[in-house]
Amino acid sequence: MSETDAGKLSPKNRNDGNVGRRTFLKATGVSAGAAALAGCTDTIGGGGDGGIPDTIRLGALGPADSPMGDSILKSAELAVEEINDDGGIAGADVTLSTKDTKDDPGTTRSGYQELTTGENVHATVGIFGSENLLSIMGNISNAQTVHMTAGAATPEAPARVADDFEANKYWFRVGPVNADYLQQSMIDYASARFDTMGWDTVAVIAEDYVWTEPITDSIEQRLEEEVGVEVTSVQRIAEGTEDFTPIYDQLESAGVDGAFTALAHIGTTSLVQWAQQQRPFGYGGIHVPTQLPSFWDATSGACISTFSQTTATADSEITEKTVPYADAYAEKYDGALPVYTGYSAYDAVYMLKDAIESGESVDSDTIVSELESMTFTGTSGTLEFFGEDGDYPHDIKYGEEYTRGVYFQWQPEGESGTQSVVWPDEHQQSEYQAPPWQ
């Protein structure tokens, strides 16, 4: 699917995500509206029965020991803190309850049930890992509580919404773009940069997880037909693989110019061995570990010259909100910087705020309707969801006019390294550099 097929803005549905807030404030007046709404009776039950309660309860889920999960939980916390400092949601205070999913489907389900049944939250955000997301799709349907995914890429989730919209309409994804679009992103990047990088012959290596299935099913054909490069192999690498030497020997024998990657869970070992062995081919594509701002120090610089797609880097001005969010995150969390899940979790909380204020209710069906018609300027771009009849119902749209992320490369900077954006053109900070041993 091309960017132009990703979905066009319908004029009747186009509104600035911030308009909801402005419309609400205009209709009620800041002080009068806040005072009146603050006096409403609290709702009972997850998802909300309507109106605005005294306190709006949100939940966030993610693996706390993982940088991706940690960034979800902290970004939701940051957004809630900012919102409360600015008067809350429609005058109501906001609370946030977080659950550690431990990157385990069973723990994810129990955490989600605690939030929606035990704590009666009005909406949830988060989830890293497609297996974990799919494990709670039935729970989201049963709870009828809006969930905003930030971190899992499987297109199976919107497929379930399409199969039974009424049952599954409470699910939305803010980011990242789904794995079908991640494949499109790899094709877009390859078309724009492979020629200048000197990548005429490549091999694709992807980890054998659910999220990479849409990427590997047709990428060989598309790279050859649309980009014009030779693909020597497409390999799905098993979980637990610790020695990449035989794989790299094959790639080196095949004379590839680059290893085009789709790695998240097993990416660190792969990258470090590539650098330690100083293989005569480049390395990068979608590589989640190298998205970590701390990855240069964590690998003692082994990530030099690797590149990856990500939602945003801390100094890439995707929108006017991107850098201020990263700066606020760093200020609150002792200089730490967010990873891709954090941008989406932060945007998700603010989208919920606008949806509740524009609908003047925490009723789940009302929030669903407001989100469906929303166009929101977030930290990761212009965010808009597919509708019921769209290609991916309630999933985020991909494309230059929506959100498509950036590709960055680790390049040396003084005694350390920096994530320098190399694509797309409007955010480019430097040219791609070949590994120093080549």
Side-chain angles (χ1 to χ4, degrees), residues 131-143:
E131 289 80 0
N132 297 322
L133 171 61
L134 294 177
S135 78
I136 64 165
M137 287 297 290
N139 301 86
I140 295 171
S141 174
N142 291 334

Side-chain angles (χ1 to χ4, degrees), residues 129-321:
S130 294
E131 289 80 0
N132 297 322
L133 171 61
L134 294 177
S135 78
I136 64 165
M137 287 297 290
N139 301 86
I140 295 171
S141 174
N142 291 334
Q144 297 185 0
T145 300
V146 172
H147 171 74
M148 310 278 277
T149 289
T154 176
E156 174 63 20
R160 295 190 185 184
V161 180
D163 287 342
D164 190 343
F165 182 78
E166 281 304 310
N168 295 308
K169 66 182 180 182
Y170 304 99
W171 174 87
F172 290 82
R173 173 163 37 219
V174 182
V177 296
N178 70 50
D180 289 342
Y181 284 135
L182 288 177
Q183 185 203 66
Q184 179 62 48
S185 170
M186 294 174 75
I187 297 297
D188 290 341
Y189 175 80
S191 298
R193 292 291 185 266
F194 271 13
D195 185 49
T196 56
M197 291 166 61
W199 282 29
D200 299 319
T201 303
V202 302
V204 176
I205 56 173
E207 61 187 20
D208 191 12
Y209 280 73
V210 171
W211 75 275
T212 63
E213 292 173 355
I215 293 175
T216 56
D217 66 358
S218 60
I219 196 167
E220 179 176 2
Q221 178 182 358
R222 296 194 65 189
L223 282 171
E224 291 182 342
E225 294 181 356
E226 299 178 35
V227 184
V229 298
E230 178 185 0
V231 180
T232 62
S233 62
V234 177
Q235 300 187 48
R236 295 184 61 80
I237 311 300
E239 179 182 7
T241 299
E242 296 181 352
D243 185 5
F244 283 77
T245 301
I247 298 171
Y248 293 156
D249 286 344
Q250 294 175 13
L251 270 57
E252 190 168 333
S253 297
V256 303
D257 299 307
F260 206 24
T261 65
L263 301 170
H265 301 79
I266 62 174
T268 300
T269 300
S270 168
L271 181 147
V272 170
Q273 290 181 5
W274 164 78
Q276 288 177 336
Q277 297 172 11
Q278 297 195 349
R279 293 290 180 168
F281 50 82
Y283 180 102
I286 296 174
H287 192 282
V288 173
T290 205
Q291 296 173 4
L292 305 180
S294 60
F295 204 60
W296 180 280
D297 293 334
T299 62
S300 300
C303 60
I304 186 171
S305 302
T306 59
F307 65 92
S308 178
Q309 187 269 358
T310 191
T311 300
T313 59
D315 62 352
S316 54
E317 297 181 352
I318 308 299
T319 73
E320 70 273 14
K321 296 180 180 178

